[in-house]
Amino acid sequence: MDEVDVEDSAETAGTRREKEERNSTNISGMSNTTARKEDTYQGTQFLMEEVLEQGNILIAMKRVVGNKGAPGVDKMTTEQLEPYVAKHWPLIEAELLEGRYQPKPVRGVEITKPDGIGVRKLGIPTVVDRLIQQAVHQVLSPIFEHDFSEHSFGFRPGRNTHQAILKAQEYIAGGKHWVVDTDLEKFFDRVNHDILMARIARKIKDKRILLLIRRFLQAGLMIGGLESIRTEGTPQGGPLSPLLSNIMLDDLDKELEKRGHSFCRYADDCNIYVNSQKAGERVMQSIKEFLGKKLKLKINEGKSAVAQVWERKFLGYTVTNEERPRLKIAEVPLKRFKDKLREKFRKGKGQDIKHFVKELKPILMGWANYFYRTEIPHQLSSVDSWVRHKIRDIIWRQLKRPATRIRAMVRQGVRIEKARDLAWCNKGPWRCSMCQTMHIAYPNKYLDKIGLTSLLQRREYLKAL
């Protein structure tokens, strides 16, 4: 989540594959009037025709249906999308070509932020609007991708969080031990539509595309049956929002490059690495002024700071305070993960243990896949040990009666005297599950056999790839 190899044509390998698919695919029930003819276009004046190419729509359809996702305000599901489009495509296509298409309001959803402080607003478009946004994204992305900064890692083909983290570590290893950690205040809610559209219009000349994007930006927000008008922001939830955020913040990237700064940006999370606190404070002030005057954006004072690198986290990671700083998992995501597991364990007390471990596995795998870059293996091994302890605790609680516990432990190879001693122990389940007898009855091999994932073993496997 490999450096991006952008050719002069501004097409990534994925984009080239998409265009090959477009040229070789025919969608039944859809006219061929929008097939692209290269020699009839000048610049980007006819992008709507490219958006409506049969192959481009087919790829967008596959992605929207494959991503599933919740219905919008019209309650249409992704399973209903294909038959609906097959029936109504001529009308949708005509409205888009003539600049008459009107997106429906987005369904507003509020979710608690990962840190538990505040909420994040999501805007869920209808599946038809998601299809059109995805089709527009597939055509616009290569055009803008060509000029995006190499310091930008979020929502871009061939780029990911791990590359940003490793680049940040590279700056720190080079001696830049102070960081200007900037977080934009409610960025997705406060994007200025006029400023954003001006930046899109620098490269896009098809007025139908510009009008369509503005209409997507201004589509109403429906919460609790009430629709509110939007005059700013690009709510997270639509396929276009990530690209629009990068277009908006590309001016910031270019400004930082012009000043010669070492920085990494992932969406609205930007870290600038400097040599001293004084330099960091100077940079912070100048960036605040630039964002306010140029982009009408504000820095979140509560979440932004100038500090030594080991005092801050970036994308869930931080570094050790050593001569050669090592990557490690920051305390906040580590605590958050254990809290999530506690809730899962609480709900799993009454489940069959093998079924419970099967449900637990994707959670452990997903977390290990992201945090395997840690250079402090003990962080993972300690969580492994804690998880195994919690599972033995569940097993102990489920056995309930002393006689049941004795029979179960004897079946697992424990001598009956040992099994009796533990079964009649008056200590609580947590302490009993920690006893050597339980480790003999349900060793790590047993837990591995029923499908438990080891975070540490997963790390070693991924690092060996």
Side-chain angles (χ1 to χ4, degrees), residues 258-379:
K258 187 173 74 174
R259 299 182 187 184
H261 288 307
S262 300
F263 71 98
C264 297
R265 182 178 66 79
Y266 194 96
D268 57 335
D269 193 353
C270 183
N271 276 11
I272 308 164
Y273 296 89
V274 295
N275 293 312
S276 67
Q277 181 178 7
K278 186 176 181 180
E281 290 170 351
R282 185 172 63 248
V283 170
M284 176 68 88
Q285 185 58 39
S286 65
I287 292 304
K288 282 183 187 176
E289 294 173 2
F290 173 84
L291 288 168
K293 292 178 181 178
K294 189 86 172 181
L295 301 179
K296 307 298 182 191
L297 295 171
K298 288 180 64 179
I299 282 181
N300 187 323
E301 300 285 351
K303 294 185 178 180
S304 303
V306 176
Q308 292 182 300
V309 290
W310 43 82
E311 296 174 350
R312 306 294 292 182
K313 63 182 176 68
F314 180 51
L315 302 176
Y317 283 84
T318 186
V319 293
T320 58
N321 183 5
E322 300 173 326
E323 186 176 346
R324 191 198 74 80
R326 293 178 292 164
L327 286 175
K328 71 174 187 177
I329 306 166
E331 290 300 318
V332 171
L334 194 57
K335 179 182 181 301
R336 191 185 306 145
F337 180 59
K338 292 186 75 172
D339 289 343
K340 181 178 181 179
L341 290 179
R342 282 191 183 94
E343 180 64 18
K344 185 71 177 173
F345 284 123
R346 186 184 65 80
K347 294 179 179 179
K349 289 178 180 178
Q351 294 183 34
D352 172 76
I353 196 64
K354 292 182 180 178
H355 178 74
F356 173 73
V357 168
K358 185 178 179 180
E359 287 188 347
L360 188 65
K361 184 173 182 177
I363 299 174
L364 297 173
M365 287 280 283
W367 199 79
N369 289 348
Y370 185 79
F371 285 108
Y372 85 93
R373 292 283 182 180
T374 179
E375 295 173 288
I376 311 296
H378 175 70
Q379 290 187 298

Side-chain angles (χ1 to χ4, degrees), residues 364-410:
L364 297 173
M365 287 280 283
W367 199 79
N369 289 348
Y370 185 79
F371 285 108
Y372 85 93
R373 292 283 182 180
T374 179
E375 295 173 288
I376 311 296
H378 175 70
Q379 290 187 298
L380 301 181
S381 63
S382 64
V383 176
D384 275 341
S385 178
W386 180 77
V387 167
R388 290 193 292 265
H389 188 179
K390 294 291 283 186
I391 291 176
R392 291 188 183 103
D393 176 71
I394 291 177
I395 293 172
W396 181 261
R397 290 173 185 272
Q398 289 182 346
L399 294 174
K400 294 183 179 179
R401 298 168 63 86
T404 310
R405 291 168 179 169
I406 292 169
R407 286 195 298 270
M409 286 187 282
V410 169

Side-chain angles (χ1 to χ4, degrees), residues 61-300:
M61 178 82 72
K62 287 180 179 177
R63 290 184 175 173
V64 171
V65 172
N67 289 338
K68 297 183 179 179
V73 294
D74 61 358
K75 299 183 180 179
M76 185 187 299
T77 65
T78 52
E79 290 81 7
Q80 297 170 309
L81 178 60
E82 290 189 61
Y84 179 88
V85 169
K87 182 178 180 180
H88 297 280
W89 181 252
L91 176 61
I92 297 171
E93 181 184 47
E95 289 181 344
L96 287 166
L97 286 170
E98 296 166 15
R100 295 186 290 108
Y101 185 84
Q102 290 285 352
K104 287 184 170 61
V106 297
R107 182 165 68 88
V109 177
E110 293 184 346
I111 60 172
T112 304
K113 289 186 177 181
D115 57 10
I117 302 174
V119 295
R120 176 175 289 125
K121 294 180 181 178
L122 300 183
I124 303 174
T126 65
V127 288
V128 174
D129 286 341
R130 294 211 293 270
L131 171 68
I132 296 169
Q133 285 195 34
Q134 180 63 40
V136 172
H137 180 280
Q138 289 166 185
V139 171
L140 263 56
S141 180
I143 296 171
F144 287 94
E145 180 65 31
H146 180 67
D147 291 325
F148 281 156
S149 169
E150 65 177 24
H151 302 276
S152 165
F153 295 90
F155 312 123
R156 295 180 60 191
R159 299 205 145 207
N160 55 53
T161 52
H162 286 169
Q163 292 170 343
I165 292 160
L166 293 175
K167 177 56 74 172
Q169 186 184 28
E170 182 182 314
Y171 293 140
I172 295 167
K176 296 181 183 293
H177 290 172
W178 286 84
V179 61
V180 182
D181 185 352
T182 64
D183 181 274
L184 297 179
E185 188 174 283
K186 297 184 178 179
F187 168 71
F188 285 94
D189 297 332
R190 295 185 175 174
V191 168
N192 183 288
H193 290 174
D194 291 335
I195 293 176
L196 173 58
M197 291 308 304
R199 275 137 189 81
I200 298 172
R202 290 171 181 172
K203 294 187 176 183
I204 305 303
K205 303 307 176 187
D206 191 325
K207 292 182 180 179
R208 297 166 299 177
I209 294 287
L210 296 175
L211 179 60
L212 179 64
I213 293 174
R214 185 175 280 276
R215 283 175 177 168
F216 276 126
L217 290 172
Q218 294 177 339
L221 182 67
M222 187 80 76
I223 299 178
L226 299 176
E227 180 181 351
S228 58
I229 304 300
R230 288 192 291 136
T231 58
E232 61 180 2
T234 168
Q236 297 165 272
L240 261 180
S241 291
L243 175 62
L244 298 182
S245 70
N246 275 333
I247 293 172
M248 184 71 173
L249 292 175
D250 189 54
D251 277 17
L252 172 62
D253 296 340
K254 296 295 191 290
E255 180 67 19
L256 294 174
E257 287 178 340
K258 187 173 74 174
R259 299 182 187 184
H261 288 307
S262 300
F263 71 98
C264 297
R265 182 178 66 79
Y266 194 96
D268 57 335
D269 193 353
C270 183
N271 276 11
I272 308 164
Y273 296 89
V274 295
N275 293 312
S276 67
Q277 181 178 7
K278 186 176 181 180
E281 290 170 351
R282 185 172 63 248
V283 170
M284 176 68 88
Q285 185 58 39
S286 65
I287 292 304
K288 282 183 187 176
E289 294 173 2
F290 173 84
L291 288 168
K293 292 178 181 178
K294 189 86 172 181
L295 301 179
K296 307 298 182 191
L297 295 171
K298 288 180 64 179
I299 282 181
N300 187 323

